[in-house]
Each structure stands twice: as C-alpha cells, then as structure tokens.
Amino acid sequence: MIEQLKANNRAWAERKTAADPGFFKRLVGQQAPEYLWIGCSDSRVPANEIIGLDPGEVFVHRNVANLAPPQDANYLSVLQYAVEVLKVRHVLVVGHYGCGGVAAAVDGGRRGLIDHWLHPIRELAHDHADHLATYDGGQPRLDRLCELNVMRQVRNVAADVFVQDAWARGQTLSVHGWVYSLATGLVNDLGVTVSAPN
Ligand code: CO
C-alpha cells in the first residue's frame, strides 16, 4: 500500500513537470497564496481539490469540526502567519454538512479529549436551542448546526486582533463562511462575509 503511494507521488511529480517545467522551481522560491482555508480534518473535504487550486495557492489549516478557537495556539499561529507574512486576501472558513465532529458534540456520548475540543459547538447548540428545535428531524438540525458553527468561527476570525490590526493598517482582507456538501461536491456560501471591522 505504501509503495503504491510513493509510485503515485512519482507519477504526480512527473505529470506536473511535464505540464509546466518550471512548476516546482517557482514554488521553491516562495509561496504567495491569496487564501487561508480553515476547514475540517474530514478526509472527504480536501481544500485544494475542491476549489481547483495548485500547491502554493492556498494556505491550509484543518482540525476536527473546523474550529477557530481564540485560545488555540496552533490556529492562531497559522492565522498570524497567513495575515501578517503571507498577506492573504481571503480567509475561507469551510464547514461541511454531515460533519461527524458537529454530530459528536451534541449526541451526549463520552469520547475523551475530543469532548473538550468540541465544547464550543455544544455551547453554540445550547445558545441556539430554540432555533434548532424548529428544524425537523436530526439531520436537518445537525446541518443547521454546521452552518451556525461556520458563522460563529467567521466571527471568531474577524474579531481576532491579528485581523483587526490588519484592517487598521488598511490591509485588504475578507473572511467568508462556506459549507461544503459531501453529496454534491458544491459549497454553499452562507453570505456572512466580513471585510471590515464591525
Ligand atoms: Co467534519
């Protein structure tokens, strides 16, 4: 199995070089992505592939249930580097319908460390309990919670001091909220883009 992966890698590198002999040489020089992707670790939601971008074009941070917690050093390090050094122009917070992390946050199960990681989603569901109760059945309710989670993470990113400082410097930066459908391969733009302090 692992040998197959290495063979795949060699074939991929050859295809890239054949199509564009300077491809890898350019990337060695620098990366200049215009986008930061904050998405779920789910194997069915591969950032570059979904938005049709090559290596070098999107800076990627993924974790379970696409969270942007204001105390998470990993996420904050990625955000600061993307905003202050790479100067990305767009942050894409991308959730997905059918997210196992979102479902696990509210199913009452006990799994260990992940229960702590998912705590913000449990709080979110609690805050929106009345609204969520208007959705028929488990799956529509969970899908709505996936959307609410993305909206909440967009607010987290937009409220972060790195982003606020970038806007204060006059830097062009927008934070978008999308939810990807595993069933269709299409993203749903939630229309919650933030491009200035509010
Ligand atoms: Co997920």
Side-chain angles (χ1 to χ4, degrees):
M1 294 290 274
I2 294 298
E3 287 310 312
Q4 184 60 53
L5 299 187
K6 294 177 188 170
N8 290 351
N9 169 248
R10 285 191 296 273
W12 172 78
E14 278 166 21
R15 279 198 308 278
K16 282 287 181 197
T17 307
D20 177 359
F23 183 75
F24 291 109
K25 283 194 191 72
R26 278 201 311 281
L27 286 180
V28 168
Q30 66 162 349
Q31 61 166 342
E34 292 196 7
Y35 310 93
L36 165 62
W37 173 286
I38 298 173
C40 185
S41 297
D42 193 302
S43 65
R44 298 165 295 180
V45 195
N48 286 66
E49 203 166 335
I50 286 171
I51 50 177
L53 294 183
D54 265 326
E57 295 185 319
V58 56
F59 200 59
V60 175
H61 178 70
R62 292 169 69 180
N63 59 43
V64 175
N66 43 272
L67 294 177
Q71 301 84 11
D72 177 39
N74 184 357
Y75 148 69
L76 290 172
S77 302
V78 168
L79 181 67
Q80 182 177 25
Y81 190 74
V83 170
E84 296 186 0
V85 181
L86 298 174
K87 294 188 166 53
V88 299
R89 300 175 78 86
H90 301 274
V91 179
L92 307 165
V93 178
V94 186
H96 67 103
Y97 298 115
C99 183
V102 169
V106 293
D107 71 0
R110 286 290 173 269
R111 297 173 177 83
L113 182 57
I114 192 73
D115 298 324
H116 295 271
W117 175 252
L118 296 172
H119 182 76
I121 300 178
R122 215 155 31 247
E123 277 197 327
L124 188 67
H126 185 260
D127 291 347
H128 292 84
D130 291 346
H131 170 71
L132 288 167
T134 65
Y135 284 77
D136 269 348
Q139 199 54 52
R141 204 171 294 153
L142 284 174
D143 286 346
R144 181 58 180 159
L145 185 53
C146 288
E147 293 178 348
L148 293 172
N149 181 42
V150 166
M151 293 178 201
R152 183 58 210 254
Q153 306 315 315
V154 166
R155 286 214 304 278
N156 282 357
V157 174
D160 193 274
V161 290
F162 301 136
V163 172
Q164 293 282 323
D165 288 353
W167 281 328
R169 289 192 300 269
Q171 199 171 322
T172 301
L173 182 62
S174 296
V175 187
H176 310 263
W178 293 358
V179 185
Y180 173 78
S181 166
L182 298 173
T184 64
L186 299 174
V187 296
N188 176 23
D189 185 338
L190 297 177
V192 293
T193 300
V194 186
S195 302
N198 50 4

